[in-house]
Amino acid sequence: MGFWLTFEKVQCWVIVFLTPTVFLVEMAVVRPDIVARYSMGSFKHALHIVLSTFSFVNVAGNMIMVIFTDTSVKRGNTQGIYCEVCKLKRPPDAWHCKTCDICIERRDHHCFFLHRCIGRQNHRYYILYLFHMAVSMLYSGYYNYLYLSAMFDNYGFLLAICRMLNPMVRMFVKHDCLGLQDTYTIFFLANVGLFVWSAALCHYHLRNVIRGLTWHESMKKKFFYKGSRLADEYWKENLISVFGTRWYWAIIWPFAKSPLQGNFKSSLKIA
Ligand SMILES: [Zn+2]
Ligand SMILES: [Zn+2]
């Protein structure tokens, strides 16, 4: 337990450090090259700077909010299950997390990458972090692809892909050290991987939310619930219980206040 706890903590801070680093590399290395190569006008260039910064602020802001929002169960519940560790009564949808060592309000799951539990209070930031991550990876991925194919002397698409996958092969073949091209190639592969990962997770968690299920419940009900209904009849209430009453601000500004209202409701019946 001790080793994993330290590993998770270090990993979390590496992710926090890498987020602005990647943004700065994109702005300092890729951006000037693309602007010069495609003779981008000043309006389009300025628009790209605004959109990139918007994406970065939303990714970084939501990530920071996931980490620093207090998700624990507050004292004062008179009903519920008594937690021997926290010495308080917790609501039925709250769970005690062994890693965080505290009871979490409407606990969804423990996020291994950000070393925090996802519960009622930070559920919004978590899903929006994944959403903005997927959008920014798609956005930057397109320009990274242009940047990389130019680096590969404008090879054809397939050949470029083969050369992009080159480092994967090199991992198993003895060679002295990775060159600059390989470093950018790994960077691009991570870019594609992160897009797939964040888009898939965002889709999965958002589907749980509109069905009014926490991750725990969705795992339990998976085996009993027949059919793949997309949304529950309470989908609007469920979205507001995660994104708050001012959800339209929450989507575009991670630090916007958006009071949470209600709790998960689900009309799904276990078959
Ligand atoms: Zn507890
Ligand atoms: Zn936890």
Side-chain angles (χ1 to χ4, degrees), residues 73 82-88 90 95-97 101-104:
V73 171
Y82 186 74
C83 175
E84 291 290 345
V85 185
C86 303
K87 309 271 183 244
L88 52 72
R90 60 167 192 249
W95 289 61
H96 185 88
C97 172
D101 199 26
I102 202 156
C103 277
I104 306 293

